[in-house]
Amino acid sequence: MDQDNLTLIDEEDGTRDRYLTFAVGDEDYGVEIAYVTEIINVQTITELPELPPYIRGIINLRGKIVPVMDVRIRFNKEPKEYTDRTCIIVVDIGDSGIGLIVDQVREVLEISAEQIVPPSESRSSGGNRYISGIAKTGEDIKLLIDIERLVSDELAPGTEN
């Protein structure tokens, strides 16, 4: 596929350079909107034994079993009670899907490649290895999540940080 066709596809689906932004603690994050299937309120979560603490369990989303991860705990922040602002962002990558529990969904932003800088070496190791870029939006900063890496690490058997 040549670049013209790729550009045409990106423009046709309307998701190019668009990110769903959300808050976890004091930081704002973004995930490419192309991966987001829906945003739902926190619902009953069925806990499963022997999972890492940040995998809260599974939910039944209209007959589909979806694992849910508390992003706050995954990113080594203090746990927090869920409120009416707490949401689950359901993302889908191929055959894998996961719900991301976040403090608050913000908005969808267009963020061009020129606004994004790569994370520094210190941010791309350890717990920050899931940050694919840092976006400058006005006076704010959004940490862009490498959702493919995050989901593939969480859903692959036997993987742990």
Side-chain angles (χ1 to χ4, degrees):
M1 181 177 300
D2 64 29
Q3 185 61 38
D4 290 338
N5 287 338
L6 184 61
T7 301
L8 182 61
I9 290 171
D10 287 342
E11 290 173 357
E12 286 176 351
D13 73 8
T15 61
R16 183 180 165 90
D17 298 334
R18 298 184 75 191
Y19 292 83
L20 175 69
T21 60
F22 57 92
V24 175
D26 294 330
E27 285 91 33
D28 283 346
Y29 295 87
V31 61
E32 288 182 62
I33 196 80
Y35 295 111
V36 177
T37 57
E38 62 188 293
I39 301 165
I40 59 175
N41 292 324
V42 173
Q43 53 186 266
T44 303
I45 298 172
T46 302
E47 293 182 22
L48 297 174
E50 299 184 25
L51 289 176
Y54 52 86
I55 300 293
R56 302 303 301 220
I58 55 175
I59 60 172
N60 182 346
L61 186 61
R62 292 182 301 279
K64 182 178 179 184
I65 302 301
V66 177
V68 289
M69 174 181 29
D70 190 319
V71 176
R72 173 177 278 278
I73 298 172
R74 181 65 183 101
F75 289 171
N76 296 318
K77 297 182 180 298
E78 289 294 316
K80 180 181 170 186
E81 290 281 325
Y82 298 150
T83 69
D84 59 343
R85 292 184 173 259
T86 307
C87 293
I88 298 175
I89 300 170
V90 181
V91 296
D92 215 352
I93 300 174
D95 294 335
S96 301
I98 192 167
L100 306 173
I101 301 171
V102 302
D103 292 351
Q104 180 180 3
V105 170
R106 299 262 196 230
E107 61 188 327
V108 175
L109 292 176
E110 282 197 38
I111 301 173
S112 67
E114 293 78 31
Q115 293 174 277
I116 301 171
V117 297
S120 66
E121 286 295 318
S122 63
R123 291 194 69 78
S124 62
S125 61
N128 291 318
R129 65 189 174 139
Y130 302 115
I131 304 302
S132 62
I134 300 170
K136 298 173 282 184
T137 58
E139 297 297 317
D140 298 327
I141 290 180
K142 313 289 185 207
L143 303 174
L144 304 180
I145 293 179
D146 183 343
I147 198 67
E148 288 188 22
R149 185 173 193 179
L150 180 66
V151 170
S152 65
D153 279 3
E154 297 309 323
L155 299 180
T159 58
E160 178 81 17
N161 316 6

